[in-house]
Amino acid sequence: LFMNIYIGTGIGVILIYLIAVVDTETIPTFLKWFITLYTAAAYLSIAFASLLAKQLPPLVEAMKDWIVVIAGVGFFVVIHIDLEIPFTSEAWAWVVYAFLALVHMLIASAVSRTIPMVLGAITTFVVAWKISRELVRLMFGDSLGQMEMLTLLGILAFQGIGIILAAIAYASKRDEVDALVRDSLLRCLRRRKVEQREQIVETNA
């Protein structure tokens, strides 16, 4: 039911915009921003709910399965469109993309689901490819001949081994790592609340 409401609401907003819009050239921009914000809102909401609630109601707990798939995968896809990954050469876009890999992994620990971790791993491999390409470009220039390609693959393989070993280590101690990450995130949220209260008190004083 809630999945149908979520998808139906998103489609409804898009249809209303398409009917009301006069300048059709704004449609791609609207779709990118709306899908990004809509999927991110659901993705982050279930993560914060999982962190702040000691025990979620069974219905909400069951909702995690489809939220991390629909919202998580939707966000993963649209962010590639927004940042033009892997085609862009803008450094800021790659920095944001690398940060989002960490976000996916943190959400995976928060909601205790595998899909966000898989998305984070895919993002990490894409970043590893970019690092490899830039290192080869630094050593050999823009050309990509046989030697350059072998070097690129070697660097990528080295990073890939590290990512796989990290994934194996995580899988072997998943419960402990997830608990540690959740506790750390909770402490950060609580500290932020305390700081906000102190600022309010200082303002009113």
Side-chain angles (χ1 to χ4, degrees), residues 14 22 25 40-41 43 58 60 64 80 85 89 93 96 99-100 105 124 126 144 148 151 156 177 179 199 203-204:
I14 292 173
V22 177
E25 292 183 358
Y43 206 27
V60 179
K64 286 184 184 180
H80 284 79
I85 301 294
S89 58
V96 172
F99 172 74
L100 291 175
M105 295 176 186
T124 304
V126 176
L144 197 60
E148 290 83 354
T151 304
L156 183 60
V177 173
Q199 290 176 354
T203 302
N204 294 332

Side-chain angles (χ1 to χ4, degrees), residues 80 85-86 94-95 97-99 101 105 119-137 151-164:
H80 284 79
I85 301 294
W94 283 101
V95 171
Y97 188 71
F99 172 74
M105 295 176 186
L119 298 177
I122 295 172
T123 304
T124 304
F125 271 107
V126 176
V127 172
W129 171 84
K130 179 61 175 177
I131 293 173
S132 303
R133 182 67 186 98
E134 292 304 317
L135 288 175
V136 169
R137 182 176 282 116
T151 304
L152 187 151
L153 293 176
I155 298 172
L156 183 60
F158 180 76
Q159 294 180 90
I161 291 172
I163 295 171
I164 292 171

Side-chain angles (χ1 to χ4, degrees), residues 53-91:
K54 292 183 178 179
Q55 184 174 2
L56 292 173
L59 178 60
V60 179
E61 188 68 31
M63 287 170 59
K64 286 184 184 180
D65 295 327
W66 65 262
I67 289 177
V68 296
V69 172
I70 296 177
V73 174
F75 179 75
F76 174 79
V77 171
V78 76
I79 208 66
H80 284 79
I81 299 173
D82 293 340
L83 299 176
E84 299 181 355
I85 301 294
F87 306 108
T88 184
S89 58
E90 295 289 342

Side-chain angles (χ1 to χ4, degrees), residues 163-176:
I163 295 171
I164 292 171
L165 290 176
I168 293 173
Y170 168 77
S172 64
K173 297 184 178 181
R174 177 173 179 173
D175 293 337
E176 294 89 336

Side-chain angles (χ1 to χ4, degrees), residues 21-41:
V21 70
V22 177
D23 185 4
T24 56
E25 292 183 358
T26 64
I27 292 177
T29 301
F30 167 78
L31 290 176
K32 287 198 298 183
W33 277 103
F34 174 72
I35 295 174
T36 300
L37 296 175
Y38 195 59
T39 54

